[in-house]
Amino acid sequence: MIFGANYVPADYYREYIADTFLGGASTSQFSINYRGSGFGTPYELGEFKVPKYRLDSLTFGKGSFTRSASEVILAALNNRTMKVNMPGPEGPDGKPTKVLDVEETDSANAKIQEIRNGFEDWLALPKNSAKVKVIADNYNRLYNRTIPTEYKTNFVEPVGCTIDFRPHQKEAIARGLLGDDLLLDHSPGLGKTYILTGLAMEMKRTGLAQKTLLICMKANVQDIAKDFLKAYPNANILCPSEADFAKKNRHTFLNRIKTNSYDCVILSHDQYCKLRHSEAAVERVVDEYFADYENVLAEKRKRLEEDPYASNAKTIANEIRQLEKARETFVTNINSANNGNTKNPKDPITFEELGFDKIMVDESHQFKNLKFVTGLEQVSGLGSAAGSSKALMLLLGVRSIQHVNGGDRGVVFASGTPIVNSLVEMYNQIKYLKPSYLEMVDQRSVDAWLGQCGIISTETEITALMKTQDVTRV
C-alpha cells in the first residue's frame, strides 16, 4: 500500500501520525484534508496546534532554515522528499547564500520514509482491524471492480477475407468491436497487422466505422497495404506514395480522402504529423493542459502566500514564473506544430474534415513522449516533461476521434514495447486511451497518478566520477 493513497480515509492517516510520531497527541489538535488530485499536493493540514515538545523528532534544520514537523508530515502524505538548507558563504554580490545541509536533509527524508513505511504495521494492530476492512472496500470499489473480459468470437465474420485468423487474433478483433479504446501489447510475430486489418474491415461491416485511418512506420506503409489487400482483396483502401503526399500534390490527395468513402486510409507517422487540426481540436487539448498548469500554479502560489519569508520563498517564486512562461510557450508550440511555419505551412484541409471516425496507430511507442505538467522538482526517472511535437499531434487526433465517438472509443494502439524508459510512459498510455478512467479514479494529473502508483524516494548513489550524491527518483 502506498502511503497517501486516496482510498484511505484521511482520518486514518491523522490517527496513525498522532499515535506513532506525536506522542499520542489528540487528533483534535490537527486535521488532514484530502483536496483531490486537481492539486499538485492533494493533502493539506488544517489547524495544527500540537504542543511544540511533541514535534522535536519531526523538526529539522536551524534558524530560518528549519523545516517544521507539519512540512515533514505533508511531504510523507504527498509523496514528496525534502531539502534542508543552511547558511553558505557570501556570493559575488556580497549577499549571503544557502547550501544544502546534507546531514539534516538525509535525516528529514529518512523520517519521511519512516512515516510512510510504518503505516502498514500500524494497520496490522488488532485495534485497527475494522479500518483494514474499510480500506479494502474502498480499494476494491475504485480499482478492483472489473475482471478481464472473455470475448466470444462467433460473431466475427470476416466477409471477403482470404486468411484464417488465429484464435487470439479473433479475440482481439472482438475486443476492438465491443470494448473501448484498445492497446494491442503483442510481441512481434503475433500478427498485429492482420488484427488491425481485420478490425478495420469488421468495424466497417458492422457499421461501427465509416472511414478508418491507420498510421504506421514509414518503412512499413507499403508492406501493410500489401498485407491488407492480401487479406481483403476487395477492400477499398488508399495508400499514398511519397509523391502523392508531396507539398504540391497534398491538397489534391486530401480532397480525395475527404470526398471518398474508403474502408481504410494508410499513412506514415510523418505524413499524419503533416496534417492540420481544427481550432476546436486545438482548444480542447490546450484547455486540458491549462487545467494542469493552473493546478500546479495554484499550489505554489498558496505556499508562497502562507509563508512569504520562508527560506525557499525565492525558489518557489522563480518556479511560478517558469511555469507561467512554460504555459505561454506551450500555446506557441502547439500552434506552431499544428500550423507549420511560414516557409512550410500545412494544408488548410484539417484532419477533422477528412471524415475519419476511427484511428489505429501501429508502433504506437513512437509517440510515447507525451508532454506532461508536474509540480515535482528535480526528480529523476520521469522522462522529459516537454515531450515531443509528434506526440502532441497524435493527442490532437486521438481527442478528435474520441470527441466524435462520445467517449473513450475509436482509438487502437499497437506496439510490442508500449513502455520503454520511464514510468510516466505508462501514465501517457492511459492518458491517450482512457482519460475518463483517470477522471473516475481521481488521477487527472501525472502527480496524482504517481501519488497512487509510484514511490518517490531519495537515495545515495555513486556518480560516474565515483563520488556519492543524493538522488531523488521515482
Side-chain angles (χ1 to χ4, degrees), residues 59-62 65-67 72 82-86 99-109 311:
T59 303
F60 298 91
K62 298 177 181 178
F65 294 99
T66 299
R67 307 305 294 270
V72 176
M82 183 174 286
K83 291 184 179 180
V84 182
N85 294 316
M86 62 181 180
V99 295
L100 183 69
D101 188 329
V102 176
E103 184 177 346
E104 290 289 286
T105 295
D106 287 346
S107 298
N109 286 319
S311 61

Side-chain angles (χ1 to χ4, degrees), residues 256-325:
R256 285 178 62 192
I257 299 176
K258 182 179 177 180
T259 56
N260 288 278
S261 180
Y262 294 103
D263 296 330
C264 186
V265 177
I266 303 172
L267 299 179
S268 70
H269 293 167
D270 293 340
Q271 288 169 339
Y272 165 79
C273 289
K274 291 176 181 177
L275 299 177
R276 185 195 299 267
H277 291 268
S278 67
E279 291 183 8
V282 174
E283 188 175 339
R284 280 193 292 269
V285 172
V286 168
D287 287 347
E288 192 174 324
Y289 276 99
F290 264 39
D292 292 343
Y293 273 115
E294 191 51 44
N295 290 335
V296 175
L297 282 167
E299 178 64 29
K300 292 185 180 294
R301 288 171 184 146
K302 184 175 184 292
R303 287 169 58 191
L304 197 59
E305 288 170 6
E306 288 177 346
D307 192 357
Y309 302 106
S311 61
N312 61 341
K314 288 185 177 179
T315 301
I316 296 173
N318 186 49
E319 290 170 356
I320 291 173
R321 287 192 294 271
Q322 289 177 344
L323 280 166
E324 289 172 338
K325 184 178 180 181

Side-chain angles (χ1 to χ4, degrees), residues 111-147:
K111 181 61 69 172
I112 289 170
Q113 205 59 42
E114 183 183 344
I115 293 173
R116 297 177 66 84
N117 292 342
F119 185 59
E120 289 190 31
D121 293 336
W122 179 79
L123 282 175
L125 297 175
K127 68 174 183 176
N128 295 322
S129 57
K131 292 182 174 65
V132 173
K133 185 178 186 308
V134 171
I135 292 171
D137 289 345
N138 289 346
Y139 177 86
N140 288 333
R141 188 179 66 254
L142 269 177
Y143 302 114
N144 201 25
R145 54 190 287 176
T146 60
I147 61 173

